[in-house]
Amino acid sequence: MSMHASDLVLVSAQQLKPIDEISGFQVRPGFFRDFGATIIPGGVNFTIQSHGAVSCELLLFHREAEEPFAVLKFPDNYRIGFVYSMIVFGLDIEEFEYAYRLDGPFDEKKGLRFDRTKILLDPYARAVTGQSRWGHTNSASHGYRARVVRSNFDWGPERHTQIPMEDLIIYELHVRGYTMDSSSGVTCPGTFHGLEEKIPYLKKLGINAVELMPIFEFDEMRDARLIDENQLLDYWGYNPVCFFAPNTSYCSSVEYNREGLELKKMIKTLHDNGIEVILDVVFNHTAEGNELGPCFSFKGFDNNIYYMLTPDGQYYNFSGCGNTLNCNHPVVQELILDCLKYWVIEYRVDGFRFDLASILGRNEDGVPMNQPPLLRNLAFDSILGGVKLIAEAWDAGGLYQVGSFPAWKRWAEWNGRYRDDMRCFLKGDPNMARIAAQRMIGSPDLYDPVYRGGNASVNFITCHDGFTLYDLYSYNQKHNEANGWGNTDGFDDNNSWNCGQEGDTDDEAILSLRWKMIKNACTVLMCSRGTPMFLSGDEFGDTRYGNNNPYCQDNEISWLDWSLLEKNQDIFDFFRFMIAFRMEHPAIRKDLEPSYIGFPSMSLHGLVPWEPDAPESQYAACVLFAGYDEEKKQEDLVYVAVNAHWNAAHLTLPDLPEGYRWKIAVNTGDPKQQTFSAEEMPAAEKTLLLGERSVIIFVGEDLNLPVACD
């Protein structure tokens, strides 16, 4: 009998009877299409695949035991093609852990690394053992093992409503670092539960999507080292051990055989509060590294399939981390698709950001493909149909595809050009005003709306990789000495500016300028077409003390200092205002119905309306967003003027029809008040002074509309 596990609804427990005995256990051939370990009536189904192995053993361990209490070798008739499957009856999932041993040829030049002495982690494992205590190496002596996980979480009757890309405000955060500092005030710091405790804060801020840095199981003790008496770990987590398993050290309590329960509860609570969850996923490499690295999973199952190898069996390294996953091999494609669908079905994840996504479009020999089958399959998969797909459209091998990533109108991109160009413009670099205006209107020079759709650009100025927003205007150079590499790691081209003094200062003039630059960056980001994303902590001036690559810093360098929220309340209030302003004005986010008063949806201007300044201008990038808001039954007119120069300039506003006038909603150059509620907004003169290094946002008011009465 060969069935799918989903067919169990048609099969009674009595029909699933053992037919063999191995190592004292009653067994029978299993469900060959269900990879991993699955609970079934009366037992557990174990299914794995290997194209090169000649035999396979299932190892069963008592919890934390060094040696298996049972070894079950798969009989020949328990194998179909390259798939091994066995049902083992009478197992209590809380009383064992499991792993595999495979035998086969060992020939490094052919990429074959089978070794029957290696204990191998199931590539489809839903939970990895020995990882639950952060900072403790529990698995080093006996290798990684897996546990069988129950799938019985009740998501309730309602499904979280999907938010369109143009309406998202993405907030990138690290689960541990977000609440690990004592200033966070949570009861379970550094955990999924700790993040859940911060949901009222997230709602107050106004974001509606969190992008979580890697939460797939990783070993933070990989390459742990001591530098100046500080223990450095693999803190960020961009070295996955298993793609299907959540990082159990992010749980507030040990969840034996219920792994993922706390994460699911957190996701459900976020959804209940209108916040989507996007996972930062790493399918470009694994923690097994190159030929000098360990063999704990993929190398032992089919090294020459899972990794890109040179003709002599060495590892291509387009990831910069020792190996590169062979993403467009059919077996690896299937694994990635199965994994993403699992996270969508079991965890109700709303989207994925793909780390070094250009690797996903490389052929098995590393050559970029025109129509990568993996990217196409992800774009058209039915389960993933409503899921956000966001590419980091470059890799460590030099392939840079911002604006040209294969998309099928489904893929969005981290717009690295937006980050670089806007940083240069805002600090006053010459010849950037027109480029900045292009970035603000959705980068149509990069993303043709006909071929890419209108939601391709994820705009950001900061992310986990690089300076925080405060550091962007506090440091001219990186300061990564604490990482132990002599300040050679991390990027040198930060396009940052310290505003006159490197690092901390008591100079009030410099501090005032820094806060204004931060507000300018926030304003421009929230007034740009595309999806805005910013780094957690930027909204209250969090600092990493100039470290632009704190991947190994599990300490105050990386942990958010929540005491800064009270200290820099003005910045938080400004971020909150700008997020609400963006959501209040759909003309910023998308094309509306055509304007009745003759304005196009978007238009570029200079200090004089309808006349963009010369390309070499350092002055203003001015953008008018317009359209008819059908919901409010009125025109939505937003004019954004940005002066990145150190001198003020006279700005002339576009004429409005009779019965309309311009009012000021935001002016970062106003020393007394930078934001104005609808009731407070002052009327703007036809020509006014646009202050040095400042942004003014104008809103078109229809004087004929009736005044709302309380």
Side-chain angles (χ1 to χ4, degrees), residues 92-106:
D92 182 343
I93 65 169
E94 296 190 9
E95 294 182 353
F96 76 91
E97 302 168 349
Y98 77 96
Y100 292 98
R101 281 199 302 243
L102 277 73
D103 198 5
F106 187 92

Side-chain angles (χ1 to χ4, degrees), residues 577 580-581 584-585 632 634 636 661-666 673-684 697-703 705-708 710:
F577 178 91
F581 182 85
E584 180 70 17
H585 292 279
K632 295 183 179 180
Q634 66 184 57
D636 188 24
R661 66 177 176 179
W662 289 113
K663 301 187 77 173
I664 297 174
V666 177
Q673 185 174 357
Q674 289 85 51
T675 61
F676 302 88
S677 66
E679 297 76 20
E680 298 175 315
M681 288 191 295
I697 301 177
F698 306 89
V699 174
E701 181 184 41
D702 185 351
L703 299 175
L705 288 175
V707 178
D710 293 332

Side-chain angles (χ1 to χ4, degrees), residues 225-276:
R225 52 204 169 93
L226 202 64
I227 299 294
D228 296 331
E229 299 184 358
N230 294 319
Q231 187 179 48
L232 304 186
L233 307 177
D234 185 14
Y235 166 74
W236 275 357
Y238 283 94
N239 285 292
V241 166
C242 183
F243 298 122
F244 290 80
N247 185 14
T248 51
S249 64
Y250 286 169
C251 295
S252 59
S253 60
V254 177
E255 298 183 322
Y256 289 122
N257 308 105
R258 298 181 301 279
E259 281 78 4
L261 188 63
E262 186 173 314
L263 173 58
K264 290 176 180 178
K265 183 177 180 296
M266 181 199 78
I267 293 174
K268 186 180 188 304
T269 309
L270 284 165
H271 284 174
D272 290 344
N273 284 274
I275 300 173
E276 293 197 344

Side-chain angles (χ1 to χ4, degrees), residues 516-586:
K516 183 161 75 165
M517 296 295 290
I518 288 172
K519 290 179 179 179
N520 290 346
C522 174
T523 304
V524 170
L525 180 65
M526 293 302 161
C527 290
S528 296
R529 282 278 176 95
T531 303
M533 182 192 79
F534 64 97
L535 179 65
S536 59
D538 279 351
E539 73 274 16
F540 53 74
D542 189 56
T543 179
R544 293 173 179 164
Y545 311 99
N547 192 324
N548 75 351
N549 187 38
Y551 74 99
C552 54
Q553 299 293 338
D554 180 36
N555 49 49
E556 290 79 5
I557 291 176
S558 294
W559 300 345
L560 262 64
D561 180 0
W562 288 87
S563 69
L564 294 173
L565 175 59
E566 181 178 358
K567 179 181 178 182
N568 302 324
Q569 183 72 35
D570 176 59
I571 296 299
F572 172 80
D573 291 341
F574 189 88
F575 265 79
R576 186 183 177 195
F577 178 91
M578 286 308 309
I579 291 170
F581 182 85
R582 177 182 177 87
M583 301 308 294
E584 180 70 17
H585 292 279

Side-chain angles (χ1 to χ4, degrees), residues 619-669:
Y619 276 98
C622 302
V623 179
L624 170 62
F625 299 101
Y628 186 76
D629 186 347
E630 183 64 36
E631 183 176 333
K632 295 183 179 180
K633 304 298 181 184
Q634 66 184 57
E635 296 282 343
D636 188 24
L637 306 174
V638 179
Y639 192 81
V640 185
V642 187
N643 180 15
H645 201 269
W646 47 90
N647 291 321
H650 288 284
L651 173 73
T652 301
L653 293 171
D655 289 327
L656 291 174
E658 186 176 352
Y660 286 84
R661 66 177 176 179
W662 289 113
K663 301 187 77 173
I664 297 174
V666 177
N667 184 355
T668 66

Side-chain angles (χ1 to χ4, degrees), residues 72-73 88 210 242 302 308 310 373 407 420 484 497 519 622 696:
L72 290 76
K73 185 174 182 179
V88 182
V210 290
C242 183
D302 272 317
M308 289 185 190
T310 66
D420 299 341
W497 178 44
K519 290 179 179 179
C622 302
I696 304 180

